Structure formats: C-alpha cells, structure tokens
Amino acid sequence: MAVQGNPADVSTYFSSIPFQERAQAEQRLAALLESDRAGLADNLLFCLEKTAEPDRVLVSLERFLEAATGSQTHLGLMAAAPRYTQLLIEIFDQSHFLTEIVCRNPAYTLWLWEEADLNRAVPVEEMSAELRDQLAAFDDFRAQCQSMRRFKRREILRIGVRDIYAHASVASVTEDLSNLADAALQAAVQIGQHDLAPRFGRPLAPSGEEATFAVIAMGKLGGRELNFSSDIDLLFLYSEDGETSDEGAKQISNAEYFSKLGERIIFAISEQTDEGRVFRVDMRLRPFGRMGALAAPLGNCLDYYEHFGRAWERQALIKARTAAGDIALGNRLIEATRPFVFPRYFDDETLEDIQETKRQMEAQIAERGETDIEVKLGRGGIRDIEFTVQILQLLNGGKVPALRTRNSLEAINILGQEQLLTPFEATELAANYVFLRQVEHRLQIEGSQQIHVLPSAPEALDVLARRLGYQNGESFMTVYRDKTEANRKILERFLASEGSGNLWISDLLNRASDGDVGKGRLEALGFHDPRRAREEFLLLCNGTQERPHSLHVRQQFYSFAPVLIRSLADSTRPDENLMRLGQVFARLRAPGPIFELLRLQPELSDLLVKVVANSEFLSGILIREPGLFDLFSTPSALEEPSPRESLEREMALLENAVDAQAAPYRLRDGELLHIGLRELLEKNDVIEVGHELSTLAEVILGHAVRVARTEVARRFGPAEAAFGVLTLGKLGGREMGYGSDLDLLFVFDPDGAIPEGTSRIEYFTALAAATIRVLKEPTRYGRLYDIDARLRPEGKKGMLTVSGPRLAEYYRKQAQAWEHLALMKVRAVGGDTGFAEA
C-alpha cells in the first residue's frame, strides 16, 4: 500500500501502533511521508511496532531531522535501507541520552552507518591513537579537555548503538567502555604533563633520572567491565620523591608536582563543561582515602598496605590494573601487593570485616525500601554475585594463580574450572550476571545517570521491560526475581560454609595448601598426630585417586566438617576415632547422601562419633554394612524398641529378596545397631537391652528352623511330628548381651508321622543339626550366633535331640542339681511353639 501524507491513509496504515497521543503522532507521520518515498512507510511501521514508546520516537525523529542540515538525505536513506531506519528508531526509543547526542550531532548517524565498526570493541591502542591525533590540533589545555569530551560523546554513541542496535555481548560492550576510559586517561596524563612542563620542568628522582607516574584503575574499570554511567575509581602513583628540574619557571617537590598532575587529570576527565564530562572520577580508594595525598610514591603505598591496609581494600585491589602512565611502575605496585590481596591463608576476622561492610550496604538499601528492586546492591543483585566471586578469589587466589583475574565473568569461569563452584552454579552465576548488567545498562543508557533501581511505577516498569524485550513489567519481574533469588541462594550457601568462622578448615581440606594452619588447629583441639589426621580428613573429603569424590560430594563434606571435627575433639581419643570413622566412610560406595544427611542434621555427627568412640562392635557393623546409615536419617526410630511383629515382617521381606541368604545377617546387623544406638542415647537400660537382643535372637532362630525344615524335607521328606526348640541361659531369661551365645535344647514328638524309611532320631537330629549350622557356620556375611547345646540330657554324650517324654524322665530321675538350676530359665522359643511350651 502506497502511503503519502494523506491523514486518512496514515491513520489506517499505522493503526496497529499504540500511540498515546494518536492525533499528534499521525500528524508527524503525515509530514514525514509527504514526499512519497517508496519503502519509508513500511520501514517506519516495522520499526515502530517494536518500540516501547512510539510517541517519543516520533518526537525525537522530528527533532533529529530538524537539526540535520541534510534531512532529505536521512529520509532517503531511511526509505532505502530498513536497517538505517531501525538504527535511528532504536536510538530514539532506548535512550534519551543518545538521542540528545545525535540531535546535537546529526552527522554522527551517517558515520555510524558508513564508517563505524559495530561488530567489535575498538582496541585501546587504536582509540588512543585517534584521540591523540584529534588533540594534536590544540595547544591549550582547556581546549584539549573540550576536544576529549567531543571524542567521548561520539564514542559513547558508537558503544551505545553496539549495545542497543547491534546487540553486542555485555563483555564486549564493557570492554569497549573501559578502552574508552583508558584512552582518555592516557591522553589526560599526556596533556597534563605538557601543561605543567613550562612552569615546573620535569620531576626528577635523587639519581637524576626522571620520576615516573602511573594511574591505577580500580573497580569496574580495573576489571574492564565499565558501565555507561560508572564512576572510574583511580589511584595515582609516582616512582620516587625528589624535585623538578630547573627547566621550568619554578622548582617544586615531586609530591607537589604529581599532586598538580593528578588535579589536571581529574579536571580533564571529570570537570563538567558545556561539552559535558568524560567520566566522573572517584579517588576514595587511594591510601588513607580522602585524608591521603592525591598522589603517593611507590614506597609509601607499599608501606600503607603492609601496615594499615584494611580488609575491604584486599577486595578492592583484586581489580587493580595499570591504565595509564608508566605501566611498569603500576605493575610493580600490583605485584608487590599480591601477598596482601591473596594471602596463603585467609583468616576469619578479615572475612568477617568484609561481610560487615556488605551488611552495612544492605542495611542502607533496606532503609530505602529498595532491597528487591536495586539491581546492583539489592538482594541477589550484581554485588551479591561479585561478593561471592571476589571472596572465593581472596580465599583461593594465594594457591590458585589463575583466580587472580580482574574480570568477574572470567573469574566465574575459572571458579567453575577449579571446582570451587559447581558447573551449574558457575553457569547460572555467569548468565545471571550478564542479565543484570544488561538491565543496568538499559537503566543508565536512558539518561546517562548512575541509576540502579528499577522503576516503581508500573507504567515506567512496562517501558523498561519492553526495551529489554519482555512483554510487560510483570513478565520481566518474574524472570528478575527468579534470577536474583538463585544468586542469593548461592551466596548464602557459600556464607554458611566459608563465612562461619571455619576458614581454617579450607586450609585443612585444600590439597594445594601445606595445611599448616589447619594442622595447628587440630593440635590445639587435642589431636596427637595432626599430620596423619589431616591426611585422613583429606581422604574423607576428596576420596582416593582411584575413586575421587565429585565437587558436590566434596562441598557436602566441607559443609559438615566443622561439626564433625568438634565432635571428634570432644571424644576421648580423637585420632583413633577419626581412623575408625575413616574405615566406615571408606566402605561407602556413594558417600554423598550420607554427607548430605550429616550436613542437614549436624547433631547426628555427635551420635556417629559416639558410636565409633564407644563401640568397636557397632563400628564394625557400620564398616560391614554401610547401608545401615539409614538408621541415622530417622532419629525418631530410635525412640522405641522394635516390636517382634515388625522384625518378623522385615525378615519376611528380606527372605523374599534377591539374596535371601543374606536375610538374617542384614536383620541382625540392623537391629543390633538400632539397639546399640538406643543404648548410647540412653533410650533403654540394661534390662531393656537384654529383652531387645533376646527378641532379635528368637526371630532369627525362627528363620533358622524354617530354613532347616526346608533342607531336611528336601532330603528325607516332610514330617508331621512336632519339633520344638527350648532355650536356657541368657536367652531363656531374656538377658542377652551383644556377644551372648544361645543355649538350646531340641525336642521332638515321639508319636507324630515321619517319612518312611527314616528313623525318628535320624530325622530330628538332622533337623537340629541343620538349625545349628544356619546359626553358627561362618559365611561370606559372617556368623549369626555361637550355639551351645551341651545342656541337653547327658551333655555332649547325649543325642542332639530328645523326645518329650525322655526329656521329662531325665529331669525327674537323672538330672543333677545344677541342671535343675539351669532349668529355671527354660523357655519355648522356636519350632512348633505349642508343643515346645507343653
């Protein structure tokens, strides 16, 4: 459809655009389309449909064309090149600040379209050379400062267009902005020195050589991750004290000279003029802050960090980078402060100082009611990610040089590679960091203001959301909340382990460390051989070379290690108990779930240590059957004894399992551990322990009789005659101990039917022998119980089984007094219980 300046046609053609002031918008469109350029209406419609504020776009386009000396040229290009239309519309829609630049300098848009390379960050060397050429046209310092601002204005437009139109990556955009700042600083140093030379000459060291000067970039500029409206944090450094040469009109000290140079650099970069400013400058990170000299000699700076450096200054110096001046001089300071920034051991007090600084910042944000909408300092915001990353750098940079990088995204990647963050955490933090920086850029590029707070008005939030590609503010906030909450969870997990007063444990469990701090703490806690103890802890944490633990498992162990170490230290023989505990954990095929259980329920650590400290027997069960750790996961199960019915149900389930032969051993070990843990926790007394152990023995005895009957029936055939098992001694009195044997009597009915061709004695002797074999013979699972059958009539000389009448006759006529005494504890415990009881 051909659309000219006819109002009716314009109204119809652009009806899909949600103008707030439709009449005025259609008037502007009609004026634009009067010349009937083919393609212009189509290109405008396509671009306006994607804008967040179409009314504002048309007003800005009108202003731009009025300011341009060749407005028809721009309209012709907009009609012929859809991408040029899109470039202009994106500028007008996304940024009032960039709109002002192109309305002030309309020719810049043609430069962007025809000459500027929007696909890359311009290297600092290339940008510096171009700026130097531009400044060479001026001799006056102030004129050069004005020229720098014009250069910055054009370059910030190029970088902004790379962001909003070419969709360059956050890393590329922040590098481009940082290169611009570096180029400006290099130029400022040069024009500042040139301005001072006629008056003061050159600064000289006592040796007669010229003293040099360096600009150290800190913060986001140091990390090459500058924002559109960032301050640049700087530190001015010079090589040596001395005096200036006599070439100038006046000799002054180097301290005074470099202070004046610093003032000129600050003026050149940050003074607000009718051409604007280049960047705001913040000098508060220098030694002694506002109270310190504007520029300081290298020796004084090193002395300051050695004797007065504070915890947060370690964090700030992570990003220190020489941006201008004598690069070698700046790098000398950075290298010399490495031990201060990245010590081999990082103490808890320093970490607490840094945490306190962050808590104070968060409190200020909370007071303003911006906790959930402050992109930089709010909950889960950029600073949470940076805090997590920088503290991990501080903690580990002394041992892992790769972590000394200044750039946040690079640091996240290396933390993932070094497994100090899980792969998922590293990926999530990197993606969320990019997301938040994109939001921050959109907030700041709008008006070139240092804004970090999301709009509170729903309409303004909708506009921001549409600029970021979301349908509305609600959909954007859903994503924003998810990402910030994820960031906060990672930070809080980190603080729970690293920030809990246990940094010495990092030294203890880090293979890259000599562990001297950790071993010293172990010795103070009562470990007699801290070197061997550390080796055992390293093994527990990292696994063996053949079966190394994953990062997740190592993090789980690290989380509960402080509690475990305290539990061991409170025991009587911590070294011995640690070794026994190591044997238990070494048998775990998958220690992760157990470590996670102990992390979530640290009180169980005391119970575990109590087991290994007080009972080699129970420890042996855990070593043999590590699956029994399940008992630790349900402490409530230790409150009551196991009823006989539940033991029999569990035995039935185990008998039907794939490995039925293991059934009694698994039941026995599990219940022995259950009873032992109850005793250690004082949930039962000695009488109750005897009852519980006796109930367990009876259930296992019942299993043994069933197995024996099946075996004998397979050999001889089934018998109808009754068979019973009686017990005496400790089992008879329900007074068993953990190592008690079973005193058993086997009795049969002389009248019941048995298979033909088999004598009654032969049949039931085989049944009794099979029962004893199941209970007593060693297997790959161990041995169930020792059996003592010597209390039968005539002891070892007598038959293994006797009939009921013969047993009664023996006790009436032949038994000795001690046998009558033993008979006081007789009970029926197995086989045909009715017969046995009779």
Side-chain angles (χ1 to χ4, degrees), residues 481-770:
R481 291 189 192 99
D482 287 345
K483 290 183 178 294
T484 53
E485 188 59 32
N487 298 338
R488 190 67 177 195
K489 283 182 179 178
I490 294 173
L491 172 62
E492 288 175 347
R493 180 194 68 74
F494 155 75
L495 289 177
S497 56
E498 307 286 0
S500 55
N502 295 304
L503 282 181
W504 67 272
I505 290 175
S506 297
D507 181 71
L508 180 74
L509 300 180
N510 190 332
R511 288 191 182 278
S513 167
D514 55 20
D516 287 344
V517 174
K519 286 183 286 188
R521 291 293 290 270
L522 288 180
E523 187 172 16
L525 287 169
F527 287 83
H528 297 296
D529 189 346
R531 182 194 61 79
R532 187 180 177 195
R534 189 206 179 210
E535 290 174 358
E536 190 65 31
F537 280 120
L538 283 172
L539 200 61
L540 288 173
C541 181
N542 298 284
T544 62
Q545 288 186 340
E546 298 77 21
R547 290 174 56 195
H549 293 162
S550 68
L551 170 62
H552 182 60
V553 172
R554 294 203 304 274
Q555 288 178 332
Q556 288 171 324
F557 181 83
Y558 184 91
S559 295
F560 85 88
V563 177
L564 176 64
I565 291 171
R566 282 194 291 273
S567 298
L568 286 165
D570 290 340
S571 65
T572 51
R573 298 180 300 277
D575 297 79
E576 181 181 328
N577 296 334
L578 172 60
M579 299 306 155
R580 194 175 291 168
L581 196 63
Q583 291 179 302
V584 174
F585 284 141
R587 292 295 303 276
L588 297 173
R589 290 186 176 274
I594 303 304
F595 291 173
E596 179 69 1
L597 171 67
L598 292 167
R599 182 183 73 81
L600 295 174
Q601 300 186 56
E603 67 277 3
L604 297 181
S605 177
D606 286 336
L607 177 58
L608 180 58
V609 171
K610 190 175 284 189
V611 168
V612 299
N614 289 280
S615 175
E616 189 173 350
F617 172 68
L618 295 180
S619 301
I621 292 176
L622 275 177
I623 293 170
R624 189 167 59 249
E625 281 290 339
L628 293 175
F629 262 105
D630 284 347
L631 269 174
F632 289 82
S633 64
T634 51
S636 60
L638 301 175
E639 294 295 326
E640 300 293 337
S642 300
R644 183 184 186 115
E645 296 76 17
S646 71
L647 292 176
E648 288 177 338
R649 280 196 302 273
E650 187 174 352
M651 177 66 83
L653 290 172
L654 291 169
E655 286 173 340
N656 289 318
V658 175
D659 189 3
Q661 187 183 357
Y665 302 93
R666 288 181 174 157
L667 180 74
R668 189 272 313 270
D669 285 348
E671 185 58 16
L672 283 176
L673 185 61
H674 177 254
I675 296 166
L677 291 176
R678 280 173 42 75
E679 185 173 8
L680 288 174
L681 292 171
E682 300 181 354
K683 303 292 184 181
N684 51 20
D685 57 26
V686 66
I687 302 300
E688 292 168 323
V689 169
H691 286 184
E692 292 173 39
L693 290 169
S694 299
T695 301
L696 171 64
E698 291 172 33
V699 172
I700 291 176
L701 177 61
H703 164 83
V705 172
R706 289 193 296 275
V707 171
R709 272 190 158 143
T710 301
E711 182 182 314
V712 173
R714 198 163 41 241
R715 180 178 169 191
F716 298 108
E720 295 179 6
F723 172 78
V725 183
L726 308 180
T727 184
L728 303 97
K730 282 189 165 58
L731 177 57
R734 299 181 65 80
E735 302 165 329
M736 283 190 68
Y738 293 100
S740 295
D741 56 14
L742 308 183
D743 296 292
L744 301 180
L745 286 173
F746 300 100
V747 188
F748 63 86
D749 181 359
D751 299 323
I754 62 171
E756 288 188 22
T758 305
S759 73
R760 203 171 292 275
I761 289 294
E762 180 185 12
Y763 189 92
F764 289 110
T765 297
L767 184 53

Side-chain angles (χ1 to χ4, degrees), residues 239-289:
S239 56
E240 290 181 85
D241 279 320
E243 289 186 336
T244 58
S245 66
D246 56 7
E247 300 163 6
K250 179 183 178 183
Q251 272 191 311
I252 58 174
S253 68
N254 285 359
E256 189 177 356
Y257 173 88
F258 287 116
S259 179
K260 291 179 181 295
L261 178 58
E263 289 169 357
R264 276 160 176 73
I265 292 170
I266 293 171
F267 182 92
I269 297 294
S270 69
E271 184 71 15
Q272 183 71 41
T273 73
D274 57 349
E275 294 283 4
R277 62 160 59 96
V278 185
F279 290 97
R280 288 181 300 272
V281 173
D282 190 336
M283 299 296 300
R284 290 175 296 173
L285 295 183
R286 68 185 187 270
F288 297 108

Side-chain angles (χ1 to χ4, degrees), residues 77 83-84 87 91 102 106-123 126-127 130 151 153-163 165-166 176:
L77 192 53
R83 293 280 290 169
Y84 183 70
L87 184 151
I91 290 173
V102 297
Y108 282 178
T109 61
L110 296 177
W111 171 76
L112 287 171
W113 180 250
E114 296 169 356
E115 298 180 46
D117 186 353
L118 302 180
N119 296 315
R120 63 170 188 140
V122 176
E126 185 178 323
M127 209 179 295
E130 188 174 355
F151 180 84
R153 190 161 60 239
R154 190 191 69 168
E155 287 303 306
I156 206 74
L157 172 66
R158 177 186 61 80
I159 299 169
V161 168
R162 290 190 66 227
D163 184 12
Y165 167 73
D176 218 351

Side-chain angles (χ1 to χ4, degrees), residues 754-818:
I754 62 171
E756 288 188 22
T758 305
S759 73
R760 203 171 292 275
I761 289 294
E762 180 185 12
Y763 189 92
F764 289 110
T765 297
L767 184 53
T771 301
I772 292 173
R773 186 172 61 255
V774 171
L775 292 170
K776 187 175 182 179
E777 276 196 354
T779 70
R780 62 192 175 111
Y781 306 104
R783 186 167 64 173
L784 290 168
Y785 291 99
D786 278 331
I787 304 300
D788 191 343
R790 291 175 299 171
L791 293 183
R792 65 185 183 269
E794 300 176 4
K796 291 181 179 178
K797 298 177 182 178
M799 300 298 293
L800 189 58
T801 61
V802 296
S803 68
R806 169 61 186 144
L807 183 67
E809 180 184 9
Y810 176 80
Y811 277 106
R812 282 198 304 269
K813 296 181 179 180
Q814 295 175 255
Q816 299 181 42
W818 69 266

Side-chain angles (χ1 to χ4, degrees), residues 192-202 246-250 257:
Q193 289 172 328
H194 184 265
D195 185 52
L196 290 174
R199 282 175 278 179
F200 307 110
R202 295 173 297 117
D246 56 7
E247 300 163 6
K250 179 183 178 183
Y257 173 88

